[in-house]
Amino acid sequence: MERKRPSQGFSLLDVIKKVVCLDGSSPDTGKGKSKFKSSSITKKVCHGFHLVEGQSGHDMEDYHVAEYRKKKDHVLGLFAIFDGHLGDRVPSYLKDNLFDNILEEPNFWEDPRTAIKNAYRSTDKVILENSMQLGPGGSTAVTAIVIDGKDLWVANVGDSRAVICRGEIAEQLTVDHEPHSERRRIEKQGGFVTTLPGDVPRVNGQLAVARAFGDENLKAHLSSEPDVCNVRIDSRSQFVILASDGLWKVMSNQEAVDIVRPIKDPQTAAKRLTTEALARKSKDDISCIVIRFG
């Protein structure tokens, strides 16, 4: 997530980090599948991920989660991308805490939608209460919970996106929370949206999304309320792509699906997406998770 930043000097360590990133030798990449067994499982789930640092002049601020847990004889696949801005402490906190907070909601199994919304809200509250330690920055989020390979719950704040492939067709499961689309709410709360020549709309001339975790200085005009979507995973559901806006700025939903469809290995597919985004001159951090069903 790009945000206007004050100019700053770079230490020798910063230069070394940048060189390591640009030669492509240190991306965060991997894959996995659930090793848990349950009588409730209808489809096997596997995943691959690939994250690369961008060329925006700051350290990597994207974090991801891709893991499996077993709770109450249900197997959960937990996947997320957190795209930070003005530092990496907020996305790092989300990586360590958001899913725990969701699953600890007392009504998670009966009412996942309300549990996810409550957990997003309470997590943001803690982040704001600890802004001295976590800093002034913030993070977008897209989270996906796969229950027993048959039920998918997706939520998001900001412009990281989830797209599912059904048959050969891309369907967007999330809402891009852009400032211009929420101008009325922002202005009602005392804020404003500006668009300078050659730039994107920004809340109070600063942030390019209308919803995010953290951002204490903008919180009066910024929402952390997620959009939540529930999808039944059926025979037509092939895979889901989670990615930060570093991918979606240069690629349509259908283009991404068309790239992934013929690639069976999800890690290879995720890497292919990031490689294509770089070839299309994306400068932001690029993070991608591909979740395959079957």
Side-chain angles (χ1 to χ4, degrees):
M1 167 60 59
E2 294 182 271
R3 178 173 173 169
K4 288 184 177 178
R5 303 166 183 279
S7 61
Q8 56 186 10
F10 292 96
S11 67
L12 178 60
L13 180 59
D14 292 326
V15 174
I16 292 171
K17 284 181 178 177
K18 194 64 178 173
V19 170
V20 171
C21 166
L22 289 180
D23 71 11
S25 61
S26 62
D28 190 358
T29 188
K31 61 181 176 180
K33 59 183 178 181
S34 175
K35 297 179 181 178
F36 298 110
K37 295 183 178 180
S38 170
S39 58
S40 304
I41 294 177
T42 58
K43 276 183 175 288
K44 294 180 180 179
V45 180
C46 64
H47 74 274
F49 61 90
H50 197 82
L51 294 79
V52 294
E53 186 176 326
Q55 300 177 38
S56 299
H58 59 82
D59 289 342
M60 181 68 160
E61 294 174 335
D62 283 9
Y63 283 75
H64 82 285
V65 174
E67 63 179 75
Y68 301 88
R69 299 186 195 178
K70 190 171 184 179
K71 286 187 173 288
K72 297 188 176 182
D73 200 38
H74 293 283
V75 177
L76 303 176
L78 307 176
F79 308 95
I81 287 173
F82 305 115
D83 181 358
H85 44 267
L86 288 185
D88 67 352
R89 281 181 276 180
V90 172
S92 176
Y93 180 87
L94 292 168
K95 171 186 170 73
D96 293 338
N97 294 278
L98 183 55
F99 277 122
D100 286 342
N101 294 345
I102 292 173
L103 298 179
E104 287 169 7
E105 281 287 320
N107 62 340
F108 172 75
W109 296 103
E110 293 74 31
D111 186 359
R113 184 183 302 275
T114 299
I116 292 168
K117 288 192 173 190
N118 288 345
Y120 266 63
R121 192 178 303 116
S122 64
T123 302
D124 190 49
K125 184 172 183 288
V126 172
I127 289 170
L128 296 174
E129 290 171 348
N130 291 275
S131 60
M132 290 292 289
Q133 293 78 32
L134 295 175
S139 179
T140 69
V142 57
T143 58
I145 302 176
V146 181
I147 304 176
D148 295 325
K150 58 187 175 186
D151 211 15
L152 172 65
W153 287 91
V154 170
N156 84 296
V157 291
D159 54 5
S160 291
R161 191 182 297 174
V163 173
I164 191 170
C165 174
R166 294 180 189 270
E168 300 182 358
I169 306 301
E171 297 178 23
Q172 185 168 323
L173 302 178
T174 48
V175 177
D176 293 342
H177 297 133
E178 298 174 343
H180 67 82
S181 63
E182 299 195 27
R183 181 189 296 269
R184 182 174 296 180
R185 174 188 62 76
I186 293 166
E187 291 178 345
K188 189 175 181 181
Q189 293 175 230
F192 60 90
V193 176
T194 57
T195 308
L196 296 176
D199 195 13
V200 296
R202 295 179 184 270
V203 178
N204 293 6
Q206 299 178 58
L207 192 62
V209 290
R211 303 190 195 189
F213 285 97
D215 291 294
E216 181 187 28
N217 294 335
L218 291 173
K219 205 67 210 189
H221 316 129
L222 203 64
S223 173
S224 60
E225 181 77 10
D227 275 286
V228 182
C229 175
N230 177 223
V231 174
R232 194 73 175 172
I233 300 168
D234 57 22
S235 59
R236 296 177 61 247
S237 307
Q238 294 177 276
F239 56 85
V240 169
I241 302 168
L242 305 183
S244 61
D245 67 324
L247 181 81
W248 305 117
K249 283 177 180 176
V250 296
M251 195 177 303
S252 72
N253 296 341
Q254 191 62 51
E255 285 176 323
V257 161
D258 290 343
I259 288 171
V260 170
R261 249 188 334 108
I263 305 173
K264 296 304 180 185
D265 178 73
Q267 182 184 11
T268 302
K271 184 175 182 179
R272 179 71 179 82
L273 285 175
T274 58
T275 301
E276 179 62 26
L278 288 171
R280 297 186 184 196
K281 310 301 183 185
S282 178
K283 302 297 184 185
D284 205 355
D285 297 335
I286 307 166
S287 304
C288 181
I289 303 173
V290 174
I291 310 160
R292 272 205 171 273
F293 310 115

Short mmCIF file of all heavy atoms in Angstrom, two decimals, residues 123-144:
data_model
loop_
_atom_site.label_atom_id
_atom_site.label_comp_id
_atom_site.label_asym_id
_atom_site.label_seq_id
_atom_site.Cartn_x
_atom_site.Cartn_y
_atom_site.Cartn_z
N THR A 123 -10.02 -5.88 17.29
CA THR A 123 -8.58 -5.86 16.98
C THR A 123 -8.12 -4.45 16.64
O THR A 123 -7.06 -4.01 17.08
CB THR A 123 -8.28 -6.82 15.80
OG1 THR A 123 -8.70 -8.14 16.14
CG2 THR A 123 -6.78 -6.84 15.50
N ASP A 124 -8.92 -3.73 15.87
CA ASP A 124 -8.57 -2.35 15.54
C ASP A 124 -8.53 -1.49 16.80
O ASP A 124 -7.65 -0.63 16.94
CB ASP A 124 -9.56 -1.78 14.54
CG ASP A 124 -9.12 -0.44 13.97
OD1 ASP A 124 -7.96 -0.34 13.54
OD2 ASP A 124 -9.93 0.50 13.96
N LYS A 125 -9.45 -1.74 17.71
CA LYS A 125 -9.48 -0.98 18.97
C LYS A 125 -8.18 -1.17 19.75
O LYS A 125 -7.60 -0.20 20.26
CB LYS A 125 -10.69 -1.43 19.80
CG LYS A 125 -10.91 -0.65 21.08
CD LYS A 125 -12.24 -1.05 21.72
CE LYS A 125 -12.52 -0.23 22.97
NZ LYS A 125 -11.66 -0.60 24.11
N VAL A 126 -7.70 -2.41 19.82
CA VAL A 126 -6.45 -2.68 20.53
C VAL A 126 -5.27 -2.01 19.83
O VAL A 126 -4.37 -1.46 20.48
CB VAL A 126 -6.22 -4.21 20.65
CG1 VAL A 126 -4.84 -4.50 21.21
CG2 VAL A 126 -7.29 -4.83 21.52
N ILE A 127 -5.26 -2.06 18.51
CA ILE A 127 -4.18 -1.41 17.75
C ILE A 127 -4.13 0.08 18.06
O ILE A 127 -3.06 0.65 18.31
CB ILE A 127 -4.36 -1.65 16.24
CG1 ILE A 127 -4.07 -3.11 15.90
CG2 ILE A 127 -3.44 -0.73 15.42
CD1 ILE A 127 -4.46 -3.50 14.49
N LEU A 128 -5.29 0.73 18.08
CA LEU A 128 -5.34 2.16 18.36
C LEU A 128 -4.93 2.47 19.79
O LEU A 128 -4.24 3.46 20.06
CB LEU A 128 -6.74 2.70 18.07
CG LEU A 128 -7.19 2.63 16.60
CD1 LEU A 128 -8.65 3.05 16.47
CD2 LEU A 128 -6.31 3.51 15.73
N GLU A 129 -5.32 1.61 20.73
CA GLU A 129 -4.97 1.81 22.13
C GLU A 129 -3.47 1.63 22.38
O GLU A 129 -2.94 2.11 23.38
CB GLU A 129 -5.76 0.84 23.02
CG GLU A 129 -7.24 1.16 23.10
CD GLU A 129 -8.04 0.07 23.79
OE1 GLU A 129 -7.50 -1.04 24.01
OE2 GLU A 129 -9.22 0.32 24.12
N ASN A 130 -2.80 0.94 21.46
CA ASN A 130 -1.37 0.69 21.60
C ASN A 130 -0.56 1.37 20.50
O ASN A 130 0.49 0.87 20.08
CB ASN A 130 -1.11 -0.82 21.58
CG ASN A 130 -1.64 -1.51 22.83
OD1 ASN A 130 -0.98 -1.57 23.86
ND2 ASN A 130 -2.86 -2.03 22.74
N SER A 131 -1.04 2.53 20.06
CA SER A 131 -0.37 3.22 18.96
C SER A 131 1.03 3.70 19.33
O SER A 131 1.88 3.88 18.45
CB SER A 131 -1.22 4.39 18.47
OG SER A 131 -1.43 5.32 19.53
N MET A 132 1.29 3.89 20.61
CA MET A 132 2.65 4.28 21.03
C MET A 132 3.65 3.19 20.67
O MET A 132 4.78 3.47 20.28
CB MET A 132 2.68 4.57 22.53
CG MET A 132 1.94 5.83 22.94
SD MET A 132 2.76 7.33 22.35
CE MET A 132 4.21 7.34 23.40
N GLN A 133 3.23 1.92 20.83
CA GLN A 133 4.11 0.80 20.51
C GLN A 133 4.04 0.41 19.04
O GLN A 133 5.05 0.04 18.43
CB GLN A 133 3.75 -0.43 21.37
CG GLN A 133 4.02 -0.27 22.87
CD GLN A 133 2.96 0.57 23.57
OE1 GLN A 133 1.80 0.56 23.18
NE2 GLN A 133 3.37 1.29 24.60
N LEU A 134 2.85 0.49 18.45
CA LEU A 134 2.65 0.01 17.08
C LEU A 134 2.86 1.10 16.03
O LEU A 134 2.90 0.79 14.83
CB LEU A 134 1.25 -0.59 16.93
CG LEU A 134 1.01 -1.86 17.77
CD1 LEU A 134 -0.45 -2.31 17.63
CD2 LEU A 134 1.94 -2.98 17.35
N GLY A 135 2.99 2.34 16.47
CA GLY A 135 3.29 3.40 15.54
C GLY A 135 2.06 4.01 14.89
O GLY A 135 0.93 3.58 15.13
N PRO A 136 2.26 5.01 14.03
CA PRO A 136 1.15 5.75 13.43
C PRO A 136 0.56 5.11 12.19
O PRO A 136 -0.42 5.60 11.65
CB PRO A 136 1.80 7.09 13.06
CG PRO A 136 3.21 6.70 12.70
CD PRO A 136 3.57 5.57 13.63
N GLY A 137 1.16 4.03 11.71
CA GLY A 137 0.75 3.44 10.45
C GLY A 137 -0.50 2.58 10.55
O GLY A 137 -1.19 2.54 11.57
N GLY A 138 -0.76 1.85 9.48
CA GLY A 138 -1.94 1.00 9.43
C GLY A 138 -1.76 -0.12 8.45
O GLY A 138 -0.66 -0.38 7.96
N SER A 139 -2.87 -0.79 8.13
CA SER A 139 -2.79 -1.93 7.21
C SER A 139 -4.17 -2.24 6.65
O SER A 139 -5.18 -2.15 7.35
CB SER A 139 -2.26 -3.16 7.95
OG SER A 139 -2.20 -4.28 7.10
N THR A 140 -4.19 -2.62 5.39
CA THR A 140 -5.38 -3.25 4.83
C THR A 140 -5.34 -4.74 5.19
O THR A 140 -4.34 -5.24 5.70
CB THR A 140 -5.44 -3.10 3.30
OG1 THR A 140 -4.41 -3.89 2.71
CG2 THR A 140 -5.27 -1.64 2.89
N ALA A 141 -6.41 -5.44 4.91
CA ALA A 141 -6.46 -6.87 5.21
C ALA A 141 -7.46 -7.56 4.30
O ALA A 141 -8.51 -7.01 3.98
CB ALA A 141 -6.88 -7.10 6.67
N VAL A 142 -7.09 -8.76 3.87
CA VAL A 142 -8.06 -9.67 3.27
C VAL A 142 -7.83 -11.03 3.93
O VAL A 142 -6.71 -11.52 3.99
CB VAL A 142 -7.95 -9.76 1.74
CG1 VAL A 142 -6.55 -10.17 1.27
CG2 VAL A 142 -9.00 -10.70 1.17
N THR A 143 -8.89 -11.60 4.50
CA THR A 143 -8.78 -12.87 5.21
C THR A 143 -9.75 -13.88 4.61
O THR A 143 -10.84 -13.52 4.16
CB THR A 143 -9.11 -12.72 6.71
OG1 THR A 143 -10.43 -12.18 6.88
CG2 THR A 143 -8.11 -11.80 7.39
N ALA A 144 -9.33 -15.14 4.60
CA ALA A 144 -10.17 -16.23 4.09
C ALA A 144 -10.10 -17.39 5.07
O ALA A 144 -9.00 -17.80 5.47
CB ALA A 144 -9.73 -16.67 2.71
#
